[in-house]
Amino acid sequence: MNKTEKQIQNQLIPVVLKQVAIQDSFWSARERNVIETVVPYQWDALNDAIPGAEPSHTIENFRIAAGDSQGEYYGMVFQDSDLGKWLETVGFVLSKKRDPQLEKIADDVIDLLGRAQQSDGYLNTYYTVKEPGARWTNLRDNHELYCAGHLMEAAVAYYEATGKKKFLDIMCRYADYIATVFGSEEDKTRGYDGHPEIELALVKLYQATGNRAYLELSKYFVDERGQQPHYFDLEAQAREEVLSPNKKKRLYDYFQAHLPVREQKTAEGHSVRAVYLYSAMTDLAADYNDAELFDACKALWKDTVQSKMYVTGGIGSSAYEERFTVPFDLPNDRAYTETCAAIGLMFWAQRMLQVEKDREYADVMELALYNGVLSGISLDGRSYFYVNPLEVWPATANFRNDMSTVKVTRQPWFGCACCPPNIARLIASLGQYIYSTDPGNSELYVHLYIGSALELELGGQTVKLQQQTNYPWDGRAALEIALEQAAPFTIALRMPGWCSSAKISVNGQEITDSVQEKGYVKINRTWQDGDRIELAMEIPVQLVRSHPDVRENAGKVALQRGPVVYCLEEIDNGPNLQDIVLSSDAEFDVEFDAQLLGGVTVLTGEATRSDIKADDSRLYTTQAYSRVPAAIKAIPYFAWSNRTPGEMTVWIRSQ
Amino acid sequence: MNKTEKQIQNQLIPVVLKQVAIQDSFWSARERNVIETVVPYQWDALNDAIPGAEPSHTIENFRIAAGDSQGEYYGMVFQDSDLGKWLETVGFVLSKKRDPQLEKIADDVIDLLGRAQQSDGYLNTYYTVKEPGARWTNLRDNHELYCAGHLMEAAVAYYEATGKKKFLDIMCRYADYIATVFGSEEDKTRGYDGHPEIELALVKLYQATGNRAYLELSKYFVDERGQQPHYFDLEAQAREEVLSPNKKKRLYDYFQAHLPVREQKTAEGHSVRAVYLYSAMTDLAADYNDAELFDACKALWKDTVQSKMYVTGGIGSSAYEERFTVPFDLPNDRAYTETCAAIGLMFWAQRMLQVEKDREYADVMELALYNGVLSGISLDGRSYFYVNPLEVWPATANFRNDMSTVKVTRQPWFGCACCPPNIARLIASLGQYIYSTDPGNSELYVHLYIGSALELELGGQTVKLQQQTNYPWDGRAALEIALEQAAPFTIALRMPGWCSSAKISVNGQEITDSVQEKGYVKINRTWQDGDRIELAMEIPVQLVRSHPDVRENAGKVALQRGPVVYCLEEIDNGPNLQDIVLSSDAEFDVEFDAQLLGGVTVLTGEATRSDIKADDSRLYTTQAYSRVPAAIKAIPYFAWSNRTPGEMTVWIRSQ
């Protein structure tokens, strides 16, 4: 089979952030929260100005590296990346609306970055301050290129928002320097980072600058990964490192460096690293029209979503090494499901979607967004889950050592603060996940139903689109088109996987002859100014079951409505949620409660519970407990732990 | 309430080992296995003569301490106790039948012990060899008194079997010395061991020697525990120890030293330590007629068996710190349930039984014996489980760090080899758990149905009793009495908690007017030589359910027949055992298979499984899987993992 005959390239181009303004009943408040609360809060955190929170020292590290301040490096080896994620968020925020005050702070810190940069372009505070002279001696563990990648992503976002080039130039200098150090040429080191990130960042740097050297450097990093002789072995020998046998076990799987990437068929190791790598692989497969690489992406995708993904879109079921484990090993009460991993899954899903135009990718992207990602942040934006379990038993989780990573309430900040800035940048950049275009075929794709105003060039003229919806609580969306003159093009609307019945009308006229391709209904016509598309999707409460191989969910169902997965909390349902049993044809009342949890749609229904007599002290019995009716109330999973802490479960026993 | 008014004392006296000879279809082979295989094997282990096993160095440590050999101490700080447990087993073995060859080995090693003993009576190889001068500086962690206790127990067993006093004298000298060091008097140290054991051993030493000082020393250790100022604090200060905050968490709970023992109402901490302590507390409550102490024992018993015991009689659900956790936290796939803890629960249950004559204690003792204890040893006696999970998924358990203590197959020996010698001494001493007497009331109690020949003094003459049974596979037992002359006394037969219907006859005549007291049917008559009691208990397959607060067992049943808990293994039932569902009125065929697993009764029945199509790759679906009939086969839990390793589960889903 000649694989190169296959055409692998981006079919779609995401509509960029600047062209989309979110105006949405669900998301605008969250976006505002990021802009007004999270960005200032995280700036304070980076500056150690939050009483009671673990110190970050991030800005101080840069000051010391720049010679502006005296002191010692403090924090994780990847502390620089927190500033990268924050500046990237600032870039996204400014792309919506310039803000001179915020821009001043950002420009000042960019100046600081410039001063911290070494004369050869190198920019990393850990090695500059703490281990000068030891650069590039431990790529496996020390996140040097990872930090570079986050700063590159930030530079691109800041440049695209403001047009200011200083930050971009700093990072291009750094990238140029990196390209002199690493590569397959004789005079270069054949290294790559233990934590993938720079690979996808270099693709963005290439897209922003047009400099193909960055794309090629990314391709080098991806293709070198896992080759023999193994770079991590060589570098460990050079360090004279002695590893414990336990540490050696599955060592390279952890880094997705156990095999050359094209030979990797199963999702292994640290789940955030995995999806960052797979994102870059997907970018490169498209940019290089590399069918073999895309085949690897598809195999990895299949393995992930068919055997290693929670119903919330969370991934990575082991706290130890924050990693994937074995197929169908998805414990709910010890789920790790790091917020960053769900975010990374969105990154990857979006990239797969541009190549394949298949709603499956958008379904996963949306599932992760409304569940595994959004659960990571409190409603007020001030506290965060790093770990997102699907079942919590406070007394047990607070006691057992094997559940020590499970927290019952969100925390204000973390010493390892990867998740809070990651979720902030995701929400601030949500606009770029909603639409794509296929310019060659004059197609506009609508992936997500989020109220928004879009302005783009299509068919040689400016097209404006206004999307209105109460999604995810309501399955209806209206799209109004504004055009200078009538024009033929296609609007492709995603029919989510959860939706079995929908009606579409244009200007009140139901469309019955539309074509559906891989989950997108394509409406091809000559559009007039003022045309209005109305989509009405049925959005029933669904009882979701797992594949029988997921033993933790055997005999249980999850409640889902639209993209939103529900859970039971103790505050609504009393203790011992595992005793609740739904009938297999359970029905639910659906009601929007504007007063609850910032406004959520609540499900109420009937179930049963054991009839436990007060004096029943038998731990084991041959008598079956009789069952009594019990009213239950389910709330969206993302909103759990915003009231009195207590038990929570997503999976509910079912007859 | 004047607690001292209550009469708390041993109502019963166990019939000692020498008076009982096990002649049983189930146990004799196991006893023989211990005598012929385990005792020699463990002797080799203590002498580092087993190729491939972790070295023990136990004997060599004693040689070095005695000056017979040069070298350094090696092994756990409590390595001496392995010799204690082995010698105790030898004592039990010799009490059945003297064996000059084995006795020679034992006498030689006892001589070695004598040479290793210091001039003041002290006897501990770790402190003699490795830290001379540092005796009694870390009672909390270093098991000094614990090792002494195990050697004392051994000395008593060896003396009772052989009449030889040398070992007993060595240990009395050591005990006498210990009594000069520890006590509540001004000139003594108010210490006690982090690992209870010496307390129950001193009671045995008192019983063997009649020296009440040993009982009083035991009482001192028990009563001092958890008092303020806290001895472990004082001792840690003297060591200038700095503890990490994590280590400090629940520090004294772990040692059952968080409160004075009379104030302890819940079972906490390391489960083996707990039941060893509770055993001594029960002994002392009886010996001192101490109602307050016995009330604490009863509260602890209730807490243990009503909220912290597995259906197998296993206890201690957390691998971390091998401890009890919170009520109803009984995960099956991460059960720790150390073999030693189930053995310790038997010790405690037997002691409670002598005080209260209530079958509840015998039920727990028997449950632990046939399940949580016996699962610790392979059928050939050559490999052992330290950890006894109730559910095993090899791929997951072998991968996940939070299941790292769960082994899929028994191991030949352990660096921390507490369980193998413990199970050996339990099996070798099983004879003493079967019968008790109440001499004041001329009563003979039959607690366990195990084929055996008993000879004892009752009502002024020698009574012989021959018990015949195929228990636990059969609920029938026959007891034949041999007497010199007719005599009136009572035989009390335990009606196990699992038995709802039984018939008793004497010489073929059914007894219908017998009195049942706390689960014992009392047959009071003037017995004639040759009288024969026949007991026929119905022994149906029972579907056991947990209290609904045990969330891991919600919707599941365990199969039990008589005292034997069953499990499903993959080799009989295919993979994914969690997919199997029993109907709530499931019935089983019961058949003894002499060829299987050394001869076991097997249960076969009908259940259902999901109908999974080969091409079904959906991880989540709104479609319910259809169910198809599936034959299932259950084997006794204790016999699992003696064939091809694979999945195993005790708890089975039920409609």
Side-chain angles (χ1 to χ4, degrees):
Chain A
M1 184 175 73
N2 186 347
K3 289 208 172 186
T4 56
E5 281 175 18
K6 247 200 258 175
Q7 281 298 310
I8 300 300
Q9 57 193 48
N10 281 333
Q11 309 289 319
L12 297 178
I13 299 168
V15 174
V16 299
L17 204 50
K18 272 202 136 168
Q19 295 173 267
V20 184
I22 290 179
Q23 296 160 354
D24 185 67
S25 57
F26 186 88
W27 285 106
S28 286
R30 289 177 163 82
E31 195 183 70
R32 215 163 37 240
N33 203 0
V34 167
I35 297 170
E36 292 171 7
T37 304
V38 180
V39 166
Y41 178 90
Q42 293 189 346
W43 176 244
D44 286 345
L46 294 174
N47 285 279
D48 308 314
I50 296 177
E54 289 188 53
S56 158
H57 214 253
T58 305
I59 298 299
E60 188 60 17
N61 288 338
F62 278 99
R63 284 210 195 92
I64 298 166
D68 295 4
S69 181
Q70 299 292 313
E72 293 192 0
Y73 184 89
Y74 175 88
M76 299 283 178
V77 73
F78 47 83
Q79 213 73 358
D80 289 3
S81 66
D82 285 354
L83 178 59
K85 288 186 210 165
W86 183 79
L87 274 171
E88 191 183 3
T89 307
V90 169
F92 295 146
V93 166
L94 294 174
S95 79
K96 295 174 220 306
K97 192 170 166 232
R98 302 290 286 266
D99 171 344
Q101 211 182 330
L102 180 59
E103 226 164 298
K104 172 75 169 61
I105 294 172
D107 287 338
D108 286 349
V109 84
I110 289 164
D111 289 344
L112 173 62
L113 282 170
R115 291 197 299 282
Q117 187 166 36
Q118 306 297 293
S119 57
D120 56 2
Y122 184 79
L123 177 54
N124 179 291
T125 70
Y126 176 85
Y127 279 102
T128 301
V129 174
K130 190 155 179 179
E131 290 200 54
R135 278 183 203 179
W136 317 128
T137 54
N138 190 350
L139 294 184
R140 190 191 69 200
D141 300 330
N142 285 354
H143 295 69
E144 234 164 332
L145 295 169
Y146 167 87
C147 288
H150 272 301
L151 288 167
M152 286 173 195
E153 284 198 272
V156 170
Y158 198 73
Y159 166 69
E160 286 180 347
T162 63
K164 294 181 186 173
K165 287 201 72 183
K166 179 163 187 180
F167 191 11
L168 192 69
D169 288 344
I170 289 170
M171 295 317 298
C172 285
R173 265 191 75 204
Y174 191 12
D176 294 342
Y177 162 67
I178 290 169
T180 67
V181 178
F182 299 102
S184 49
E185 297 87 348
E186 280 286 306
D187 60 334
K188 294 182 185 174
T189 305
R190 298 185 77 110
Y192 47 89
D193 205 79
H195 196 316
E197 154 64 24
I198 195 168
E199 298 82 354
L200 72 85
L202 283 166
V203 174
K204 287 189 176 180
L205 203 61
Y206 153 67
Q207 288 162 346
T209 63
N211 183 346
R212 214 171 155 84
Y214 302 140
L215 190 68
E216 282 166 19
L217 183 58
S218 173
K219 184 173 191 310
Y220 155 74
F221 281 134
V222 166
D223 277 337
E224 186 59 30
R225 199 165 201 90
Q227 301 288 353
Q228 293 294 343
H230 205 288
Y231 179 73
F232 293 160
D233 284 337
L234 301 176
E235 120 180 317
Q237 283 159 21
R239 283 197 307 274
E240 298 180 0
E241 180 186 69
V242 180
L243 277 187
S244 70
N246 190 42
K247 178 90 185 165
K248 272 187 193 155
K249 202 172 139 192
R250 293 191 290 259
L251 176 62
Y252 292 155
D253 293 31
Y254 173 77
F255 303 104
Q256 296 81 42
H258 51 299
L259 286 172
V261 298
R262 289 157 200 275
E263 294 169 32
Q264 296 187 24
K265 305 294 177 206
T266 58
E268 302 293 343
H270 188 275
S271 58
V272 175
R273 295 173 201 238
V275 286
Y276 282 17
L277 172 65
Y278 306 158
S279 294
M281 285 164 65
T282 308
D283 279 338
L284 293 169
D287 269 313
Y288 284 92
N289 190 18
D290 185 338
E292 187 190 50
L293 189 57
F294 195 68
D295 282 346
C297 294
K298 287 194 72 160
L300 292 164
W301 177 269
K302 207 167 136 180
D303 185 62
T304 303
V305 303
Q306 291 180 3
S307 76
K308 293 173 182 164
M309 184 182 74
Y310 285 88
V311 73
T312 55
I315 52 172
S317 73
S318 167
Y320 177 71
E321 295 194 333
E322 308 177 313
R323 68 181 291 153
F324 290 112
T325 62
V326 292
F328 306 110
D329 174 43
L330 297 165
N332 296 304
D333 58 358
R334 287 166 296 134
Y336 194 67
T337 46
E338 187 182 336
T339 306
C340 287
I343 291 170
L345 183 60
M346 284 186 66
F347 296 164
W348 183 27
Q350 191 206 23
R351 284 164 172 81
M352 293 295 282
L353 180 59
Q354 311 313 315
V355 180
E356 282 218 326
K357 285 181 175 173
D358 188 325
R359 71 132 177 255
E360 183 191 327
Y361 302 112
D363 283 350
V364 169
M365 184 171 87
E366 186 182 65
L367 185 76
L369 174 64
Y370 282 96
N371 304 288
V373 172
L374 201 52
S375 63
I377 187 167
S378 65
L379 293 176
D380 66 7
R382 289 173 186 276
S383 57
Y384 304 88
F385 278 131
Y386 193 112
V387 171
N388 295 277
L390 282 77
E391 184 179 337
V392 169
W393 305 83
T396 305
N398 291 336
F399 198 105
R400 288 189 70 92
N401 206 58
D402 52 18
M403 292 171 156
S404 61
T405 55
V406 170
K407 304 292 176 222
V408 178
T409 52
R410 291 177 185 83
Q411 312 290 308
W413 191 257
F414 303 92
C416 171
C418 56
C419 299
N422 222 352
I423 197 167
R425 71 177 178 140
L426 189 277
I427 292 175
S429 64
L430 188 60
Q432 68 193 12
Y433 294 84
I434 306 174
Y435 305 101
S436 297
T437 57
D438 178 346
N441 294 311
S442 290
E443 291 178 334
L444 172 65
Y445 275 71
V446 183
H447 305 302
L448 299 180
Y449 298 105
I450 293 178
S452 50
L454 167 72
E455 190 176 322
L456 79 166
E457 296 297 306
L458 201 68
Q461 68 167 315
T462 299
V463 176
K464 291 185 184 175
L465 190 104
Q466 187 78 36
Q467 183 184 164
Q468 290 176 310
T469 183
N470 281 318
Y471 203 85
W473 311 129
D474 187 334
R476 288 170 300 172
L479 295 104
E480 237 178 63
I481 295 159
L483 286 170
E484 283 155 28
Q485 57 192 69
F489 57 88
T490 299
I491 294 184
L493 299 175
R494 169 173 155 257
M495 295 296 106
W498 52 260
C499 176
S500 57
S501 172
K503 283 185 182 163
I504 300 169
S505 63
V506 176
N507 303 329
Q509 203 78 35
E510 190 175 339
I511 305 279
T512 52
D513 60 347
S514 61
V515 180
Q516 193 173 140
E517 276 176 27
K518 291 186 176 178
Y520 285 85
V521 171
K522 294 191 166 180
I523 313 172
N524 181 356
R525 56 188 280 161
T526 299
W527 297 96
Q528 312 288 334
D529 185 50
D531 276 354
R532 181 179 170 91
I533 307 172
E534 285 178 326
L535 166 67
M537 296 180 284
E538 282 186 20
I539 184 168
V541 178
Q542 293 179 312
L543 271 59
V544 178
R545 289 168 179 83
S546 292
H547 190 282
D549 284 348
V550 184
R551 65 186 169 94
E552 304 273 356
N553 300 339
K556 298 181 184 175
V557 297
L559 304 179
Q560 185 171 345
R561 183 171 176 272
V564 177
V565 174
Y566 279 73
C567 70
L568 303 181
E569 275 199 301
E570 183 176 349
I571 189 172
D572 300 314
N573 299 285
N576 197 11
L577 300 175
Q578 213 55 58
D579 186 42
I580 292 170
V581 176
L582 290 173
S583 72
S584 57
D585 57 355
E587 293 194 352
F588 293 88
D589 288 326
V590 177
E591 198 165 358
F592 183 77
D593 184 342
Q595 304 310 312
L596 186 69
L597 296 163
V600 291
T601 293
V602 168
L603 313 182
T604 52
E606 279 289 312
T608 64
R609 277 183 168 277
S610 297
D611 187 18
I612 308 171
K613 308 297 181 206
D615 63 347
D616 196 342
S617 59
R618 297 167 303 174
L619 185 52
Y620 302 105
T621 171
T622 54
Q623 307 289 308
Y625 283 84
S626 60
R627 309 283 306 173
V628 290
I632 63 161
K633 177 175 174 178
I635 61 155
Y637 169 71
F638 70 74
W640 87 277
S641 192
N642 278 287
R643 296 173 293 169
T644 309
E647 289 181 23
M648 182 277 289
T649 192
V650 168
W651 290 95
I652 307 166
R653 285 169 59 207
S654 169
Q655 278 177 338
Chain B
M1 184 176 72
N2 187 347
K3 291 207 172 189
T4 57
E5 280 175 18
K6 249 199 258 177
Q7 281 298 309
I8 300 299
Q9 58 193 48
N10 281 333
Q11 309 289 319
L12 297 178
I13 299 168
V15 174
V16 300
L17 204 49
K18 273 203 138 169
Q19 296 174 266
V20 184
I22 290 178
Q23 296 160 354
D24 186 68
S25 57
F26 187 88
W27 285 106
S28 287
R30 288 177 164 83
E31 196 184 69
R32 215 163 38 239
N33 202 1
V34 166
I35 297 170
E36 293 170 6
T37 304
V38 180
V39 166
Y41 179 90
Q42 294 189 346
W43 176 245
D44 286 345
L46 294 174
N47 285 280
D48 309 315
I50 297 178
E54 289 187 51
S56 158
H57 213 254
T58 305
I59 299 300
E60 187 61 16
N61 288 337
F62 278 99
R63 286 210 194 92
I64 298 165
D68 294 3
S69 180
Q70 298 293 314
E72 294 193 359
Y73 183 90
Y74 174 89
M76 299 283 177
V77 73
F78 47 83
Q79 212 72 359
D80 288 3
S81 65
D82 284 356
L83 179 58
K85 288 185 211 164
W86 183 80
L87 275 171
E88 192 184 2
T89 307
V90 169
F92 295 146
V93 166
L94 295 174
S95 78
K96 295 175 222 304
K97 190 171 168 232
R98 300 290 285 266
D99 172 346
Q101 210 182 330
L102 181 59
E103 226 163 299
K104 173 74 170 62
I105 294 172
D107 287 337
D108 286 349
V109 83
I110 288 164
D111 289 343
L112 174 62
L113 282 170
R115 292 198 300 281
Q117 186 166 36
Q118 305 298 293
S119 57
D120 56 3
Y122 184 80
L123 177 54
N124 179 290
T125 69
Y126 176 85
Y127 278 103
T128 301
V129 175
K130 188 154 180 179
E131 291 200 53
R135 278 184 203 178
W136 317 128
T137 54
N138 190 351
L139 294 185
R140 191 191 69 201
D141 300 330
N142 284 355
H143 295 68
E144 233 164 334
L145 295 169
Y146 166 88
C147 288
H150 272 301
L151 289 166
M152 287 173 194
E153 284 198 270
V156 170
Y158 197 74
Y159 166 68
E160 288 179 347
T162 64
K164 295 182 186 172
K165 286 201 75 182
K166 179 164 188 180
F167 191 10
L168 193 68
D169 289 343
I170 289 171
M171 294 317 298
C172 286
R173 266 190 75 205
Y174 192 11
D176 295 341
Y177 161 68
I178 291 169
T180 68
V181 178
F182 299 103
S184 50
E185 297 87 347
E186 278 287 304
D187 60 334
K188 294 182 184 173
T189 304
R190 299 185 76 112
Y192 46 89
D193 206 79
H195 197 316
E197 154 65 23
I198 194 168
E199 298 82 354
L200 70 86
L202 284 165
V203 174
K204 288 188 177 180
L205 203 59
Y206 153 67
Q207 289 163 347
T209 62
N211 184 346
R212 214 173 153 81
Y214 303 140
L215 191 67
E216 281 165 20
L217 183 59
S218 173
K219 184 173 192 308
Y220 154 76
F221 282 134
V222 166
D223 276 338
E224 186 59 31
R225 199 167 199 88
Q227 302 287 352
Q228 294 294 343
H230 205 288
Y231 179 73
F232 293 160
D233 284 337
L234 302 175
E235 173 191 83
Q237 282 157 22
R239 283 197 308 272
E240 299 181 359
E241 179 185 70
V242 181
L243 277 187
S244 70
N246 190 41
K247 178 90 187 163
K248 273 187 192 156
K249 204 171 140 192
R250 294 191 287 259
L251 176 62
Y252 292 156
D253 294 31
Y254 173 77
F255 303 104
Q256 297 81 41
H258 52 298
L259 284 172
V261 298
R262 289 156 201 274
E263 294 169 32
Q264 296 187 24
K265 304 295 177 205
T266 57
E268 303 292 341
H270 188 275
S271 58
V272 175
R273 295 172 200 239
V275 285
Y276 283 17
L277 173 65
Y278 307 157
S279 294
M281 285 165 63
T282 308
D283 279 338
L284 294 168
D287 268 313
Y288 284 92
N289 191 16
D290 186 338
E292 187 189 52
L293 190 57
F294 194 68
D295 282 347
C297 294
K298 287 195 69 159
L300 291 165
W301 178 269
K302 207 168 137 179
D303 185 62
T304 303
V305 304
Q306 291 180 2
S307 76
K308 292 172 183 165
M309 184 181 76
Y310 285 88
V311 73
T312 54
I315 52 171
S317 72
S318 167
Y320 177 71
E321 296 194 332
E322 308 176 314
R323 68 181 291 152
F324 290 112
T325 63
V326 294
F328 306 109
D329 174 43
L330 297 165
N332 297 304
D333 58 358
R334 287 166 297 135
Y336 194 66
T337 47
E338 187 181 336
T339 306
C340 288
I343 291 170
L345 182 60
M346 284 186 66
F347 296 164
W348 184 26
Q350 189 206 25
R351 285 162 171 82
M352 294 295 284
L353 179 61
Q354 311 312 317
V355 181
E356 281 216 327
K357 285 182 176 173
D358 187 325
R359 70 132 177 255
E360 183 191 327
Y361 302 111
D363 283 350
V364 169
M365 184 171 87
E366 185 182 66
L367 185 75
L369 175 63
Y370 283 96
N371 304 287
V373 172
L374 201 51
S375 63
I377 186 167
S378 64
L379 293 176
D380 66 7
R382 291 173 186 273
S383 56
Y384 304 88
F385 278 130
Y386 193 112
V387 171
N388 295 277
L390 281 78
E391 183 179 337
V392 168
W393 305 83
T396 305
N398 290 337
F399 197 106
R400 289 190 70 94
N401 207 56
D402 52 17
M403 292 171 156
S404 61
T405 56
V406 170
K407 304 291 176 221
V408 178
T409 51
R410 292 177 184 82
Q411 312 291 308
W413 191 257
F414 302 92
C416 171
C418 55
C419 299
N422 223 351
I423 197 167
R425 70 176 180 143
L426 190 276
I427 292 174
S429 63
L430 188 60
Q432 68 193 10
Y433 294 85
I434 305 174
Y435 305 102
S436 298
T437 57
D438 179 345
N441 295 310
S442 290
E443 292 178 333
L444 171 66
Y445 276 71
V446 183
H447 305 302
L448 298 180
Y449 298 105
I450 293 178
S452 49
L454 167 71
E455 189 176 323
L456 79 167
E457 296 298 304
L458 200 68
Q461 69 167 314
T462 298
V463 175
K464 291 185 185 176
L465 190 103
Q466 187 78 36
Q467 185 183 163
Q468 290 177 309
T469 181
N470 282 317
Y471 203 83
W473 311 130
D474 187 332
R476 288 170 299 171
L479 295 105
E480 236 176 63
I481 296 160
L483 286 170
E484 284 155 27
Q485 54 192 69
F489 57 87
T490 301
I491 293 183
L493 299 175
R494 169 172 156 258
M495 294 295 108
W498 53 258
C499 175
S500 56
S501 172
K503 283 186 183 164
I504 300 170
S505 62
V506 176
N507 302 330
Q509 203 79 35
E510 189 173 340
I511 305 280
T512 53
D513 60 347
S514 62
V515 181
Q516 192 174 139
E517 276 176 28
K518 292 187 176 178
Y520 285 85
V521 172
K522 293 189 166 182
I523 313 171
N524 182 356
R525 56 187 280 159
T526 299
W527 297 95
Q528 313 287 335
D529 185 50
D531 276 355
R532 180 181 169 89
I533 306 172
E534 284 179 327
L535 166 66
M537 296 179 283
E538 282 187 18
I539 185 168
V541 179
Q542 293 179 311
L543 271 57
V544 178
R545 289 168 179 82
S546 293
H547 191 282
D549 284 348
V550 184
R551 65 185 168 93
E552 305 272 357
N553 299 341
K556 298 180 183 175
V557 297
L559 304 179
Q560 185 172 344
R561 182 170 177 272
V564 177
V565 174
Y566 279 73
C567 71
L568 303 180
E569 276 198 300
E570 183 176 348
I571 189 171
D572 300 314
N573 299 284
N576 198 11
L577 301 175
Q578 214 53 60
D579 186 42
I580 292 170
V581 177
L582 290 174
S583 72
S584 57
D585 56 355
E587 294 194 352
F588 294 88
D589 288 327
V590 176
E591 198 166 357
F592 183 76
D593 184 342
Q595 304 310 313
L596 186 68
L597 296 162
V600 291
T601 293
V602 168
L603 314 181
T604 51
E606 278 289 312
T608 64
R609 279 184 168 276
S610 298
D611 188 17
I612 308 172
K613 309 295 181 208
D615 62 348
D616 197 341
S617 59
R618 296 166 303 173
L619 185 52
Y620 302 106
T621 170
T622 54
Q623 307 288 309
Y625 283 84
S626 60
R627 309 282 307 173
V628 290
I632 64 162
K633 176 175 176 179
I635 62 154
Y637 169 71
F638 69 75
W640 86 277
S641 191
N642 279 286
R643 295 173 293 170
T644 310
E647 290 181 23
M648 182 276 291
T649 191
V650 168
W651 290 94
I652 307 165
R653 286 169 58 206
S654 169
Q655 277 176 338

